[in-house]
Amino acid sequence: MQSLKSASLIRRSLRISPFKSSYRSLTSLSTNALSNDSDDIVLVEGKACSRTAILNRPPVLNALNTAVGARLQKLYKSWEDNPDIGFVMLKGSGRAFCAGGDIVSLYHLINEGNIEACKDFCRTVYGFIYQLGTYLKPHVALLNGITMGGGGGVSIPGTFRVATNKTVFATPETLIGFHPDAGASFYLSHLPGYLGEYLALTGGKLNGVEMIGCGLATHYSLSARLPLLEEQLGKLVTDDPSVIETSLGTYSDVVYPDSTSVLHRIETLDKCFSHDTVEEIIDSLESEAAKSHDDWCASTLKKLKYASPLSLKVSLRSIREGRYQTFDQCLVREYRMSLQGMSKQISNDFCEGVRARMVDKDLAPKFQISVSKPQWNPPILEQVSTDMVDQYFSPLSECEPDLELPTKQREAFT
């Protein structure tokens, strides 16, 4: 087989492709502990020259917890060190690839005052995401179903992402009072135009065809053809990304977004989401809606007005900073932001958003007056101060350590 060094160089040359246009949720239902350590949560399939990790928590849409992250780290390290394994695959059980972080378990831990367990979750999952983003062997993620929040984080940094007709992608964190994390500020900020800002702020969904169109996915295949694709990949004896890409292409389809796709509104989207502030973005959308009477503008405004005002401002700044940072720098910053969001030092929006949408499922935060316009803390954009946003990007305390990543051993990419 080709040497790992050569494979790594080819892999890095392919790294740019995810962010070139061809024209990485937080919606877990779990009440299980984040530290569930059963090996059954990630199953393994072995082939002649490859290994497949299978996220196996279908009742909670394969949500990530600390144990899942730790098992993935262990498996991927052993496979990377094994010269008989040429490439690695990742898929999910049931109707989801991965719906993101196990936010219900995080919610309970926060309310119990166990912030240390929350830190351990972030360190472990972010650590695996960095491991994947710097992996020395080709990686194939099969995104056959729900792929939200952290589900993007454990797939998009890899070499290949196969979307299907069942794929639903989103980063819906602002709708629960959080921010797109798990590397999202890196990969969203590298999408064409200002699509990343749109996805980060609104939580808008993309289907598999749209993921191909904007570069989030590298291949598209009908779900029914995936068994044939997996069978073909299982026969390969290679660590050469180009050989794997050829096999993926054999079962891939050429597809184009339909007329209703947001990708056909990229000119309007760029015009509105290129502004410096959330307030200016909303003003621009309102102006466009008044002139064009476009339903897309109206629905986008509705999403923005439902989201947490603090999360909107924090997420916009995160995407803008991510555009000029390396992958590891984004993860380190997102770690700070996530701890701030969970600590309640600035706002209780994260816990309130999870309670409303996932725990009590009333779709309206506590003491809600109108279901159509939830009240957050702060309740309106004008009350979100610059100091509040700045604090979100700072360590929890002067003695709080940042996320440590093995950047000297594993080269990050830009």
Side-chain angles (χ1 to χ4, degrees), residues 261-275:
S261 171
V262 66
L263 300 184
H264 290 303
R265 290 178 168 80
I266 200 71
E267 185 176 342
T268 301
L269 184 153
D270 284 351
K271 180 179 179 181
C272 295
F273 282 85
S274 61
H275 289 286

Side-chain angles (χ1 to χ4, degrees), residues 72-85:
L72 286 171
Q73 281 195 34
K74 181 179 179 180
L75 289 171
Y76 274 56
K77 184 182 186 306
S78 68
W79 295 339
E80 190 174 55
D81 292 341
N82 187 339
D84 295 326
I85 296 175

Side-chain angles (χ1 to χ4, degrees), residues 147-225:
T147 305
M148 295 188 179
V154 297
S155 57
I156 292 172
T159 324
F160 304 110
R161 285 89 55 204
V162 181
T164 76
N165 51 304
K166 293 185 177 181
T167 304
V168 180
F169 171 86
T171 50
E173 289 85 350
T174 62
L175 306 181
I176 55 163
F178 207 58
H179 62 97
D181 68 320
S185 67
F186 182 83
Y187 67 76
L188 289 181
S189 65
H190 288 75
L191 293 179
Y194 294 89
L195 181 62
E197 279 87 341
Y198 164 79
L199 295 172
L201 270 57
T202 67
K205 297 176 182 178
L206 298 180
N207 59 34
V209 177
E210 291 170 319
M211 289 189 75
I212 283 286
C214 70
L216 285 171
T218 58
H219 297 80
Y220 180 92
S221 176
L222 293 176
S223 178
R225 300 180 70 189

Side-chain angles (χ1 to χ4, degrees), residues 25-28 63-65 98-104 106 121 148-151:
S25 117
L26 294 163
T27 55
S28 163
L64 303 168
N65 61 18
C98 175
D102 193 338
I103 58 172
V104 173
L106 286 171
F121 165 76
M148 295 188 179

Side-chain angles (χ1 to χ4, degrees), residues 112-290:
E112 293 164 5
N114 193 352
I115 191 67
E116 290 304 316
C118 298
K119 293 178 184 179
D120 190 35
F121 165 76
C122 291
R123 282 193 298 264
T124 304
V125 173
Y126 289 15
F128 171 70
I129 291 168
Y130 184 76
Q131 182 181 15
L132 173 62
T134 56
Y135 210 56
L136 294 178
K137 296 183 178 182
H139 187 267
V140 181
L142 303 179
L143 312 180
N144 188 36
I146 296 167
T147 305
M148 295 188 179
V154 297
S155 57
I156 292 172
T159 324
F160 304 110
R161 285 89 55 204
V162 181
T164 76
N165 51 304
K166 293 185 177 181
T167 304
V168 180
F169 171 86
T171 50
E173 289 85 350
T174 62
L175 306 181
I176 55 163
F178 207 58
H179 62 97
D181 68 320
S185 67
F186 182 83
Y187 67 76
L188 289 181
S189 65
H190 288 75
L191 293 179
Y194 294 89
L195 181 62
E197 279 87 341
Y198 164 79
L199 295 172
L201 270 57
T202 67
K205 297 176 182 178
L206 298 180
N207 59 34
V209 177
E210 291 170 319
M211 289 189 75
I212 283 286
C214 70
L216 285 171
T218 58
H219 297 80
Y220 180 92
S221 176
L222 293 176
S223 178
R225 300 180 70 189
L226 282 186
L228 295 173
L229 184 150
E230 291 184 68
E231 182 181 0
Q232 175 67 22
L233 291 175
K235 296 176 181 177
L236 296 180
V237 179
T238 186
D239 62 0
D240 186 341
S242 64
V243 174
I244 297 167
E245 185 169 29
T246 299
S247 291
L248 289 171
T250 303
Y251 292 95
S252 294
D253 300 293
V254 177
V255 288
Y256 303 95
D258 64 35
S259 60
T260 63
S261 171
V262 66
L263 300 184
H264 290 303
R265 290 178 168 80
I266 200 71
E267 185 176 342
T268 301
L269 184 153
D270 284 351
K271 180 179 179 181
C272 295
F273 282 85
S274 61
H275 289 286
D276 293 335
T277 67
V278 178
E279 290 91 339
E280 289 173 325
I281 289 171
I282 290 176
D283 287 345
S284 182
L285 281 165
E286 288 176 338
S287 176
E288 285 296 317

